[in-house]
Amino acid sequence: MKRKIRNLERTRKEILDAAFIEIFTRGFQGVSVDDIVSKTSLTKGAFYHQFPTKLDLGYALVEEVIQPMIIERWIKPLESYQNPLEGILAQMKKNIGQCDPAHLKLGCPLNNLVQEMSPIDNGFKKRLQTALSFWIEKMDVHLKRGQVDGFLKRDVNTREVAHFIVMAHEGFYGLIKGLGSSGVFGVLSRSMEVYFQAISTNKK
C-alpha cells in the first residue's frame, strides 16, 4: 500500500514538474494536456488519474508548486536574518538580480497566471489570491519581528510594508518581462533600498 502511494506521489510530481515548465514558458492556455504528457514518461491515462481536467492541474500547480516556491524563495530564507529588511534585499538580489536573464524575461510564474487566468476563471482567481495573501501574511510576520527587535521604526505599519514588498517584487518581474531586459533591475533595487532606509531605524 505504501509503495502504491509513493508511486502515485511520484507520478503526480512528475506531471506537475513538467506542467510548471511548459506553462511558465508558454502560458496555461498555450499548453495542452498532450504537450505536458509528452514531457513525462507517463501515459495520458496516468495524467487523468491524477487530474480529471486541465483546470484541476492548474489549481494543483498553484497550491502544490507555486505556493511552496514562495515559501522556499521568499519566506524561509528570512529566518536566517536578524534584520528582515536585509534578508528581503538579499533574496531579491539573488532571485531576481542574479537570475538567468532568459528566465527573467518569462516573468514570474505566479504573476503570469494572475494576469492570464484570474480574469477568466474563478477557481484560479481564488487560489491565486490565496497565494498572494499567504505571501503578504508571512512577510508581515517577519517585518513585525524586525520591528519588535528595533530594526523598523515604531510608527511603520508592517502590514502595509508587506503589501508594498510583494507588489514591488511582482512589479519587478513584470517590468523586466515587459521591457525584455534584466538590466533595469539595478534601478528597481536601488529604489527598494531607499525605501527601506526610510522605514528603518538604521540599527546595526
Side-chain angles (χ1 to χ4, degrees):
M1 183 66 177
K2 289 182 179 179
R3 186 173 184 179
K4 182 178 180 180
I5 291 173
R6 285 197 297 270
N7 288 339
L8 289 173
E9 289 173 347
R10 283 197 296 269
T11 296
R12 190 175 185 86
K13 184 178 186 304
E14 184 176 352
I15 294 169
L16 287 171
D17 287 348
F20 175 80
I21 295 171
E22 290 299 299
I23 291 169
F24 182 36
T25 305
R26 299 161 55 189
F28 183 79
Q29 296 176 86
V31 173
S32 68
V33 170
D34 286 338
D35 292 330
I36 294 168
V37 171
S38 72
K39 300 297 182 179
T40 71
S41 62
L42 306 168
T43 65
K44 190 182 285 190
F47 177 96
Y48 284 118
H49 182 73
Q50 291 285 340
F51 307 104
T53 70
K54 184 183 168 189
L55 278 174
D56 289 317
L57 166 71
Y59 300 158
L61 196 66
V62 176
E63 295 172 336
E64 299 176 36
V65 178
I66 293 179
Q67 189 158 314
M69 187 179 296
I70 291 172
I71 297 173
E72 289 301 314
R73 290 169 63 87
W74 300 111
I75 303 302
K76 191 173 181 180
L78 299 185
E79 297 172 1
S80 302
Y81 291 86
Q82 188 177 8
N83 182 351
L85 297 181
E86 291 181 359
I88 292 165
L89 286 174
Q91 289 307 110
M92 188 174 70
K93 289 175 181 177
K94 175 184 177 183
N95 294 330
I96 304 178
Q98 298 172 10
C99 182
D100 184 340
H103 288 169
L104 276 183
K105 290 179 181 179
L106 295 174
C108 166
L110 173 61
N111 196 28
N112 289 351
L113 286 173
V114 168
Q115 298 300 323
E116 181 187 7
M117 298 305 298
S118 284
I120 62 176
D121 184 82
N122 283 332
F124 257 114
K125 183 178 181 179
K126 290 177 182 178
R127 288 166 176 82
L128 291 164
Q129 286 177 338
T130 296
L132 284 167
S133 296
F134 173 83
W135 189 356
I136 291 166
E137 178 184 343
K138 295 303 180 182
M139 188 69 73
D140 187 31
V141 169
H142 284 286
L143 291 169
K144 279 185 169 64
R145 169 177 62 81
Q147 191 172 53
V148 169
D149 291 341
F151 293 102
L152 277 76
K153 293 177 180 177
R154 288 291 176 183
D155 61 348
V156 167
N157 184 318
T158 59
R159 188 74 173 186
E160 291 182 359
V161 175
H163 274 84
F164 178 78
I165 290 170
V166 173
M167 177 184 69
H169 280 39
E170 294 298 84
F172 286 4
Y173 280 112
L175 189 59
I176 290 169
K177 179 180 179 180
L179 294 174
S181 171
S182 59
V184 72
F185 174 76
V187 176
L188 301 172
S189 176
R190 288 191 292 275
S191 297
M192 183 67 86
E193 289 175 4
V194 170
Y195 172 65
F196 279 3
Q197 288 171 5
I199 65 174
S200 174
T201 62
N202 295 314
K203 175 182 174 180
K204 301 297 184 182

